[in-house]
């Protein structure tokens, strides 16, 4: 045995250690618990393999009742010889060699008191103390009994020496080292050139050497991919040719004949009914006939599925294109001051003609300071044509900056606008209709006028911009006191009186307007004379003696500087003396005003034929002779400066105490928006659906639902400034932001965020107005704060509705209404439960106090 052991030792010495870190650890001192007061204890980590070798497996050989094991010293030496540095006893090799006895005590450390799962006792005295613990005096035992077991005893942390297990080498291998040498650049300049002026000039890149470098593409073999396999489908079909022919009938004749039908006799009918072939045929065919009848009831079998598989494509865009395309832009280059666009309106009958109102970009204090200079500059409404993006076609003058205006639905040559000083202005451009209209009647047989688009015409260079003065302005004393924020024409089907009652409009034209202003009032106006014709007074004679300029039409001369509102409404805030400040209004008949295009064209043709314009012969309304409309809805929506959405009535009622006419109490008031409401608009598809835009969010309301909005968006990154419904898609609307972006919402695609956002300009968007040019082409006008009007083309996906979009959006609104009803119902139930709980608590308190009193 001795020679073999000697040879084994020599072989172990000659073999190179695979891990130098383990060889170095042989010289290290074993770690003991001297810092914790136990120098004889050496913690160990015994793996599962080691536990099986020494029969000290956890929960089998060593347990809570007997947590120790006596191990023979020779067994440890044998394990060290077999596994060398891999042995778990290698860290305490020196302790095992110096141990005087034959058996060492190995203890299972279940609670990891000394940091590892086992520990070795390296002295005989320590082994005896563990196996035979000294007796504890009775006083100490009594003291231990009085100490509760759940008392926490703080043990301060003990520092332990670092035991290297080879992680330093792994960290060194994973660390990133700089392999390349850093390059240092030094850029210098002559001291005399510091601060010298720099002059830039244009030069031809091709004439100067090294000024133009062309990077041409070339094939790179490293990135060339060879196609190894390709799947191709082929189908061979015979050629088909369609040929048709027709034979002329040289001698046409009218021929008739008559014959009697052949009928079976009664005997033949009975025989045929009882025949077996007929019975078998009916039995076999009845099943097929029943299936065919059922299929006809379920679906239309004659429908062309291929035709309805894909919708008809337009000719101006692609289905995949979802962004607005810039088509045209207009800017007033001749204005000496910086102006913004306040309102935009497409001409109702002339395609390609759009009107915009502009105002000076000044605050109220600056307006007061520069009021003298502003009086010298005209306030205008500009008419732009697609054929001439530089020169306006018409310029309508006004006493002050216009913030809102509308074309008259009955006659587009009549325009009404609201000024910043609170006055209403009326224009009549009938005399200049030939300048802007392009209506050409056909032959004598044709009865329908045709429209020629403006942007298909060539611009006329000799045509200069024409200034048109206003016909009439309202009285400053009796009208609004602040800026008019919104204006609407009432429908030609009805009119109202001073009380707000609704009557039939027999004149057949729009004769009344409604306006709202920042002075917290809503006014109704009538453009007809307020009193019947009477003999002329002296004041009337003096008025006629004043010369009227030849370029001012006398259409509304009876209203100039004496026009007063028919009725005035104030939206009071309840018991306080404050009023709501309206910014936008929406009536129930708004969406019906501009759906009479053919009627307007016919009327324009009649006027051209020589008949007198009905607005030149207006008569005062006589409400006592008109038929009242009882079932008319007089309620309307109002958006305020504080972000409130109010649903109220314009009918007046008498105060029982004072007898004065007072507006009715609002039906509902909701503070949804956290800023000024900029848009209140009814859907062109649903008369009871209203869109409101203000602050940082958007809301959709349903008329008749007073519990809250059907839809409310989350807070946007930027403030919303304008909005408008899509004219062809029920679930799409456009929202303008203050950072120049436009958010496009599609309720069928997303309801928690916009379907897409697109940047239009760098300044705030002030107004949005879409328009339908044809069935295949739509435009949207977007105005910004810097006075530029952007005309963009709406893509195919945003203009063409899907097959069932109307039904799907309607279903979405109905589902939201049911959701609001459910929430309101649960809220009432919770309030009732809360009241019952409070009542029960009061009863318990009373019962408790009564029992205490009796005691």
């Amino acid at each position: 045995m001795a020679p073999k052991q000697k040879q084994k030792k020599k072989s172990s010495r000659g073999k190179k250690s695979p891990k130098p870190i383990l060889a170095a650890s042989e010289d290290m001192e074993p770690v003991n618990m001297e810092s914790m007061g136990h120098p004889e204890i050496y913690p160990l980590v015994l793996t599962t393999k080691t536990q099986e070798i020494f029969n000290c497996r956890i929960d089998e050989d060593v347990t809570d009742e007997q947590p120790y094991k006596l191990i023979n010293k020779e067994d440890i030496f044998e394990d060290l010889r077999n596994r060398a540095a891999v042995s778990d006893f290698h860290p305490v090799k020196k302790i095992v060699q110096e141990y005087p006895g034959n058996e060492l005590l190995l203890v299972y450390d279940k609670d990891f008191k000394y940091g590892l799962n086992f520990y070795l006792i390296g002295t005989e005295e320590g082994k005896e103390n563990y196996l035979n613990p000294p007796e504890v005096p009775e006083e100490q035992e009594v003291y231990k009994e009085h100490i509760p077991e759940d008392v926490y005893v703080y043990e301060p942390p003990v520092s332990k020496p670092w035991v290297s297990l080879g992680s330093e080498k792994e960290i060194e291998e994973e660390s990133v080292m700089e392999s390349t040498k850093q390059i240092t650049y030094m850029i210098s300049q002559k001291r005399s050139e510091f601060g010298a002026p720099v002059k830039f000039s244009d030069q031809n890149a091709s004439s100067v050497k090294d000024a133009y470098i062309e990077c041409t593409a070339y094939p790179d073999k490293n990135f060339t991919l060879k196609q190894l396999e390709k799947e191709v489908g082929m189908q061979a079909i015979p050629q088909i040719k369609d040929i048709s022919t027709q034979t002329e009938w040289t001698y046409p004749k009218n021929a008739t004949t008559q014959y009697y039908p052949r009928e079976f006799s009664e005997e033949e009918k009975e025989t045929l009914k009882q025949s077996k072939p007929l019975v078998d045929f009916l039995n076999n065919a009845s099943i097929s006939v029943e299936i065919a009848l059922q299929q006809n009831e379920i679906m239309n079998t004659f429908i062309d599925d291929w035709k309805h598989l894909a919708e008809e494509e337009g000719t101006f865009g692609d289905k995949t294109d979802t962004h607005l395309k810039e088509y045209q832009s207009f800017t007033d280059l001749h204005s000496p001051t910086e102006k913004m666009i306040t309102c935009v309106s497409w001409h109702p009958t002339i395609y390609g003609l759009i009107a915009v109102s502009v105002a000076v970009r000044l605050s109220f204090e600056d307006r007061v300071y520069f009021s003298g200079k502003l009086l010298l500059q005209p306030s205008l409404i500009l008419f732009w044509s697609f054929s001439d993006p530089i020169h306006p076609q018409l310029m309508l003058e006004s006493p002050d900056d216009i913030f809102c205006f509308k074309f008259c639905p009955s006659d587009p040559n009549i325009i009404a606008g609201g000024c910043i000083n609170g006055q209403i202005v009326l224009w009549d451009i009938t005399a200049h209709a030939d300048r802007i209209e392009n209506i050409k009647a056909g032959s004598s047989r044709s009865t329908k006028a045709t429209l020629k688009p403006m942007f298909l015409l060539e611009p006329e260079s000799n045509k200069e911009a024409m200034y048109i003065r206003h016909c009439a302005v309202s009285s400053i004393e009796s009208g609004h006191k602040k800026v008019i924020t919104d204006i609407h024409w009432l429908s030609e089907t009805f009119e109202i009186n001073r009380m707000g009652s609704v009557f039939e409009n027999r004149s057949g034209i729009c004769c009344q307007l409604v306006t709202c202003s920042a002075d917290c009032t809503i006014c109704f106006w009538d453009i007809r004379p307020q009193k019947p014709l009477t003999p002329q007074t002296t004041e009337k004679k003096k008025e006629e003696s004043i010369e009227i300029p030849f370029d001012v039409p006398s259409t509304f001369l009876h209203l100039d500087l004496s026009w007063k509102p028919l009725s005035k409404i104030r939206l009071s805030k309840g018991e306080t003396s404050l009023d709501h400040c309206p910014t936008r209004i929406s009536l129930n008949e708004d969406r019906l005003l501009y759906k009479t295009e053919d009627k307007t064209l016919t009327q324009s043709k009649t006027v051209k034929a020589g008949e007198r314009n009905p607005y030149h012969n207006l008569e005062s309304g006589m409400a006592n002779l008109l038929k009242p409309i009882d079932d008319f809805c007089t309620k309307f929506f109002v958006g305020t400066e504080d972000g409130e959405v109010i649903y109220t009535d314009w009918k007046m009622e008498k105060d029982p105490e004072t007898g004065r006419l007072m507006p009715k109490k609002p039906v509902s008031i909701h503070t949804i928006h956290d800023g000024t409401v900029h848009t209140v608009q009814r859907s062109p598809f649903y008369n009871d659906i209203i869109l409101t835009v203000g602050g940082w969010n958007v809301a959709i309301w349903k008329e008749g639902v007073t519990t809250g909005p059907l839809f409310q968006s989350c807070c946007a990154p930027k403030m919303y400034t304008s909005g408008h419904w899509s004219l062809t898609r029920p679930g799409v609307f456009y929202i303008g932001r203050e950072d120049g972006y436009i958010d496009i919402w599609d309720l069928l695609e997303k309801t928690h965020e916009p379907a897409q956002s697109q940047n239009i300009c760098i300044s705030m968007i002030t107004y949005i107005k879409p328009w339908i040019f044809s069935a295949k082409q739509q435009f949207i006008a977007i105005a910004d704060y810097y006075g530029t009007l952007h005309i963009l083309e709406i893509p195919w996906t945003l203009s063409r509705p899907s097959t069932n979009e109307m039904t799907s959006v309607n279903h979405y609104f109905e589902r939201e209404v049911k959701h609001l009803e459910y929430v309101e119902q649960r809220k009432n139930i919770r309030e009732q439960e809360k009241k019952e709980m409070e009542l029960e608590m009061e009863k318990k308190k009373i019962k408790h106090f009564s029992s205490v009193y009796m005691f």
Side-chain angles (χ1 to χ4, degrees):
M1 290 296 293
K4 288 183 181 180
Q5 291 178 359
K6 189 173 183 180
Q7 185 179 359
K8 190 174 183 180
K9 288 182 180 180
K10 285 182 180 181
S11 61
S12 62
R13 288 179 183 176
K15 186 185 296 184
K16 188 176 180 181
S17 177
K19 292 185 179 181
I21 191 69
L22 295 176
S25 63
E26 293 181 359
D27 300 333
M28 296 176 59
E29 292 292 333
V31 181
N32 60 1
M33 295 292 104
E34 186 176 359
S35 58
M36 298 180 63
H38 299 284
E40 73 281 0
I41 293 177
Y42 298 88
L44 286 176
V45 176
L46 298 187
T47 61
T48 307
K49 181 67 175 177
T50 306
Q51 295 176 19
E52 293 177 355
I53 294 173
F54 291 94
N55 296 325
C56 57
R57 291 169 294 183
I58 297 174
D59 295 333
E60 294 183 6
D61 301 320
V62 289
T63 59
D64 295 342
E65 292 78 11
Q66 188 177 358
Y68 60 89
K69 183 76 174 181
L70 291 173
I71 299 177
N72 197 350
K73 188 175 179 181
E74 292 296 329
D75 295 341
I76 297 175
F77 287 153
E78 183 67 20
D79 184 73
L80 289 171
R81 285 192 295 268
N82 293 335
R83 296 197 292 175
V86 184
S87 175
D88 295 336
F89 291 92
H90 185 268
V92 294
K93 179 180 178 181
K94 188 176 180 181
I95 302 302
V96 175
Q97 291 176 350
E98 296 178 355
Y99 189 80
N102 293 326
E103 292 182 342
L104 286 87
L105 183 61
L106 181 67
V107 183
Y108 169 49
D109 192 358
K110 179 182 179 182
D111 299 326
F112 291 88
K113 183 177 180 181
Y114 299 108
L116 302 177
N117 59 351
F118 286 89
Y119 61 86
L120 191 68
I121 299 179
T123 61
E124 285 286 337
E125 183 180 359
K127 182 174 72 174
E128 290 296 329
N129 292 335
Y130 184 86
L131 296 176
N132 301 313
E135 296 182 358
V136 182
E138 294 181 359
E139 297 178 356
Q140 294 183 6
E141 290 182 355
V142 173
Y143 176 72
K144 286 184 179 180
E145 291 178 358
H146 290 286
I147 298 177
E149 294 181 356
D150 56 349
V151 175
Y152 173 74
V153 180
Y154 173 73
E155 296 181 1
V158 179
S159 61
K160 303 175 184 178
W162 170 255
V163 179
S164 177
L165 299 177
S167 59
E168 292 85 352
K169 185 177 180 181
E170 296 179 1
I171 295 173
E172 184 178 356
E173 291 176 353
E174 294 294 332
S175 60
V176 180
M177 305 295 291
E178 294 184 359
S179 59
T180 59
K181 186 179 180 181
Q182 294 183 351
I183 302 174
T184 305
Y185 292 94
M186 183 179 68
I187 301 173
S188 61
Q189 188 181 16
K190 295 180 181 180
R191 185 173 183 82
S192 59
E193 297 179 358
F194 288 169
V198 180
K199 294 183 179 179
F200 297 98
S201 61
D202 298 333
Q203 67 177 10
N204 190 358
S206 59
S207 62
V208 182
K209 186 179 180 181
D210 298 336
Y212 173 74
I213 300 175
E214 183 178 3
C215 298
T216 58
Y218 64 94
D220 192 349
K221 296 182 179 180
N222 297 327
F223 298 97
T224 302
L225 300 178
K226 294 182 179 180
Q227 187 174 7
L228 301 179
E229 184 179 350
K230 185 176 182 180
E231 183 178 353
V232 179
M234 296 174 57
Q235 183 177 3
I237 59 173
Q239 293 184 356
I240 300 175
K241 182 183 292 185
D242 294 336
I243 299 175
S244 61
T245 182
Q246 185 177 2
T247 305
E248 294 184 1
W249 192 7
T250 310
Y251 303 101
K253 287 184 180 181
N254 295 328
T256 59
T257 183
Q258 184 177 3
Y259 60 91
Y260 291 96
R262 179 187 174 189
E263 295 183 355
F264 290 104
S265 62
E266 296 296 332
E267 296 178 356
E268 293 176 343
K269 289 180 182 179
E270 292 295 332
T271 305
L272 188 61
K273 288 181 183 179
Q274 297 176 1
S275 64
K276 186 177 180 182
L278 180 62
V279 174
D280 295 339
F281 168 75
L282 293 177
N283 292 333
N284 296 331
S286 61
I287 299 176
S288 301
V289 172
E290 289 178 0
I291 294 175
L293 292 175
Q294 292 176 2
Q295 289 177 349
N296 290 337
E297 291 294 330
I298 295 173
M299 61 176 293
N300 185 9
T301 57
F302 300 100
I303 193 171
D304 189 356
D305 294 333
W306 292 104
K307 184 177 179 181
H308 293 79
L309 182 62
E311 297 180 354
E312 183 182 359
E313 297 184 0
T315 59
F316 70 97
D318 189 7
K319 292 184 179 181
T320 59
D321 189 9
T322 59
H323 289 80
L324 304 174
K325 296 180 180 179
E326 185 79 21
Y327 187 84
Q328 186 68 275
S329 63
F330 302 98
T331 305
D332 188 9
L333 303 176
H334 307 285
S335 176
T337 57
E338 297 178 349
K339 294 187 177 182
M340 65 176 179
I341 297 177
T342 56
C343 187
V344 178
S345 182
W346 295 86
H347 197 281
T349 58
I350 302 178
Y351 290 96
L353 189 67
I354 187 169
V356 298
S357 59
V358 293
V360 182
R361 300 200 305 264
L362 293 176
S363 61
F364 178 76
E365 292 78 7
D366 294 336
R367 279 183 175 272
V368 174
Y369 183 76
F370 296 105
S371 58
K373 295 181 180 180
L374 295 178
L375 291 175
L376 302 177
Q377 301 175 5
S379 301
L380 304 172
I381 293 180
L382 307 176
F383 279 71
W384 294 101
S385 172
F386 281 14
S387 62
D388 191 356
I390 300 178
H391 303 94
Q393 302 298 311
L394 293 179
M395 294 186 181
L396 308 185
E397 293 182 341
S398 64
D400 212 335
D401 288 343
I402 297 292
F403 270 72
C404 57
F405 70 93
K406 287 288 190 301
F407 287 94
C408 178
S410 301
D411 186 0
N413 294 324
I414 306 298
I415 303 168
C419 294
I420 192 175
N421 61 358
Q423 288 182 292
I424 297 181
V425 189
L426 290 175
W427 292 271
D428 185 3
I429 60 174
T430 306
H432 310 278
D434 294 336
R435 183 183 177 88
I436 60 173
E437 281 187 347
N438 287 274
I439 302 178
K440 293 185 178 181
S443 60
S444 59
R445 298 181 181 180
S446 177
T447 59
K448 186 177 180 181
T450 57
L451 284 176
K452 186 176 182 181
M454 286 292 295
F455 51 84
L456 297 181
L457 303 175
E458 294 293 334
E460 299 181 12
S461 58
N462 58 351
K463 186 179 288 187
E464 297 179 357
M466 181 177 293
Y467 291 87
I468 301 176
R469 298 184 61 182
H470 54 269
C471 298
V473 293
S474 62
S475 172
I476 299 179
E477 295 82 5
S478 304
H480 293 290
K481 306 302 180 185
K482 293 184 180 180
V483 55
I484 297 177
T485 55
D486 202 3
I487 185 170
H488 293 270
W489 288 89
L490 296 187
S491 176
E492 58 193 21
T493 58
F494 70 94
E495 61 180 76
I496 66 171
N497 61 1
R498 296 182 183 275
M499 293 286 293
S501 301
V502 183
F503 298 89
E504 288 184 354
N505 185 1
R506 294 182 180 177
S507 60
I509 57 175
C510 299
C511 298
Q512 293 181 338
L513 300 99
V514 58
T515 58
C516 65
S517 172
D519 61 354
C520 304
T521 59
I522 298 175
C523 294
F524 289 86
W525 307 77
D526 198 324
I527 62 176
R528 297 170 294 189
Q530 296 298 315
K531 294 182 180 179
L533 297 176
T534 56
Q536 293 183 348
T537 59
T538 56
E539 295 179 359
K540 188 72 175 179
K541 291 181 180 179
K542 289 181 181 179
E543 186 177 6
E544 287 186 353
S545 63
I546 302 175
E547 282 193 23
I548 302 172
F550 69 92
D551 58 343
V552 177
S554 59
T555 311
F556 304 107
L557 184 62
H558 59 279
L559 300 175
D560 195 20
L561 297 177
S562 62
W563 193 14
K564 298 180 181 180
L566 182 66
S567 63
K568 187 179 290 187
I569 300 174
R570 282 189 173 271
L571 302 176
S572 177
K573 289 188 177 181
E575 300 177 355
T576 63
S577 59
L578 302 176
D579 297 327
H580 296 283
C581 181
T583 57
R584 290 290 187 272
I585 56 178
S586 176
L587 305 179
N588 195 19
E589 299 291 331
D590 279 351
R591 72 187 189 98
L592 303 176
L593 292 181
Y594 293 99
K595 292 188 176 181
T596 57
E597 182 177 325
D598 295 337
K599 183 178 179 181
T600 307
L601 293 177
T602 306
Q603 183 178 355
S604 301
K605 182 181 177 182
T606 305
V607 173
K608 276 185 171 289
E611 292 188 7
R612 192 172 183 181
N613 194 324
Y615 284 95
H616 292 173
N617 189 20
L618 293 173
E619 296 181 357
S620 61
M622 293 175 286
N624 53 350
L625 301 179
L626 300 178
K627 181 181 179 181
I629 304 176
D630 298 330
D631 57 346
F632 191 88
C633 180
T634 58
K635 297 180 177 61
F636 63 104
F637 280 85
V638 181
T640 68
E641 192 175 19
D642 299 329
E644 300 165 325
V645 178
I646 304 174
Y647 187 55
T648 185
D649 199 334
W650 73 52
K651 274 192 177 181
M652 309 287 284
E653 58 183 5
K654 288 187 177 181
D655 190 357
E657 297 179 358
T658 61
R660 298 176 59 185
L661 293 177
M662 301 291 293
K664 292 184 178 181
K665 186 178 179 181
V667 179
S668 63
I669 300 176
H670 296 278
T671 306
I672 297 298
H673 304 285
D674 43 10
T676 304
V677 177
H678 298 285
T679 300
V680 179
Q681 186 195 14
R682 291 182 182 268
S683 171
F685 301 93
Y686 311 98
N687 189 31
D688 55 349
I689 298 298
I690 295 91
L691 171 70
T692 59
V693 180
W696 278 267
N697 60 348
V698 181
I700 297 178
W701 310 76
K702 184 178 177 64
E703 192 168 10
V705 179
T706 59
T707 55
L710 305 184
F711 166 80
Q712 182 180 357
S713 67
C714 58
C715 186
K718 294 292 181 180
M719 183 180 291
Y720 288 146
T721 55
S722 59
H724 204 286
W725 284 101
S726 173
L727 300 180
T728 54
R729 291 196 57 187
V732 175
F733 52 90
Y734 309 95
I735 306 297
R737 301 191 328 204
E738 64 177 353
D739 59 350
Y741 278 79
I742 183 170
D743 289 346
I744 304 174
W745 289 76
D746 190 350
L747 298 180
L748 295 183
E749 183 177 349
K750 296 179 183 179
T751 56
H752 65 284
E753 64 180 0
Q756 60 175 310
S757 296
Q758 183 176 345
N759 180 257
I760 305 298
C761 53
I762 61 174
S763 60
M764 177 179 66
I765 294 176
T766 58
Y767 210 89
I768 296 176
K769 191 74 173 178
W771 185 251
I772 301 175
F773 169 67
S774 65
K776 297 181 180 181
Q777 196 170 22
Q778 297 183 22
F779 296 102
I780 182 171
I782 300 176
D784 63 10
Y785 186 71
Y786 286 163
T788 303
L789 180 65
H790 306 268
I791 307 296
L792 297 99
E793 190 175 0
I794 301 177
W796 189 91
T797 54
L798 296 178
S799 60
R800 187 64 180 265
S802 59
T803 306
N804 299 321
E805 182 167 350
M806 189 85 171
T807 306
S808 301
V809 176
N810 189 26
H811 178 69
Y812 168 73
F813 290 146
E814 291 177 356
R815 186 172 68 248
E816 293 301 321
V817 170
K818 294 180 181 179
H819 174 70
L820 286 177
E821 293 175 354
Y822 173 76
V823 171
E824 187 68 19
Q825 183 181 2
R826 296 298 301 173
K827 184 178 179 182
N828 295 334
I829 293 174
R830 293 303 181 193
E831 289 180 355
Q832 185 66 25
E833 291 178 353
K834 185 177 179 181
K835 290 181 181 179
E836 293 177 356
M837 290 176 63
E838 291 177 354
L839 184 61
E840 187 176 353
M841 292 295 293
E842 291 293 332
K843 290 181 180 180
K844 287 183 180 180
K845 288 182 181 180
I846 295 173
K847 185 176 181 181
H848 176 69
F849 289 146
S850 61
S851 61
V852 171
Y853 179 75
M854 292 176 62
F855 178 74

